[in-house]
Amino acid sequence: MAWRGQLSRNLKELRILFCQTSPSSASARSFVEKNYKDLKTLNPKLPILIRECSGIEPQIWARYDMGVERGIRLEGLTEPQILKALEDLVKAGASLKT
């Protein structure tokens, strides 16, 4: 999982949105609880924003250079699938730089 340490090289900002109580956001909440500390430790200067809002659909958004943003809906995804979605966003950022 070396890509985890490359978030700050490929992203300008990472936003994770979810509902505090909704069952559809349960895996997103769990993902944040288990992975935030590690991601922040590996990427201390990268803004990782956690946005909780009642009734919102769980999503993850990545902002790249030049204001380009990409988002993925997380509803129905498991924690490993969310991790894979984040990895795909990081790799997409690397491809935008070439």
Side-chain angles (χ1 to χ4, degrees):
M1 290 197 209
W3 62 267
R4 289 175 150 220
Q6 296 184 10
L7 264 70
S8 55
R9 291 185 193 143
N10 298 330
L11 306 178
K12 294 295 181 189
E13 177 183 276
L14 179 67
R15 290 188 313 274
I16 303 172
L17 296 76
F18 56 85
C19 176
Q20 305 95 317
T21 57
S22 165
S24 65
S25 291
S27 60
R29 287 191 304 270
S30 182
F31 172 81
V32 169
E33 289 172 7
K34 293 178 182 174
N35 293 283
Y36 176 84
K37 183 178 179 183
D38 186 40
L39 292 173
K40 195 60 180 175
T41 300
L42 292 170
N43 304 279
K45 294 186 179 184
L46 176 71
I48 301 176
L49 309 175
I50 309 302
R51 298 291 185 241
E52 297 176 318
C53 181
S54 181
I56 195 168
E57 175 183 305
Q59 306 168 39
I60 190 167
W61 285 88
R63 186 168 53 86
Y64 306 103
D65 288 331
M66 306 293 285
V68 175
E69 292 191 354
R70 291 199 178 154
I72 297 176
R73 292 180 175 181
L74 304 177
E75 188 169 2
L77 298 183
T78 63
E79 286 180 54
Q81 290 172 322
I82 293 172
L83 197 59
K84 175 69 172 123
L86 177 56
E87 181 180 3
D88 292 344
L89 289 172
V90 172
K91 290 179 179 177
S95 68
L96 289 173
K97 290 187 171 217
T98 57

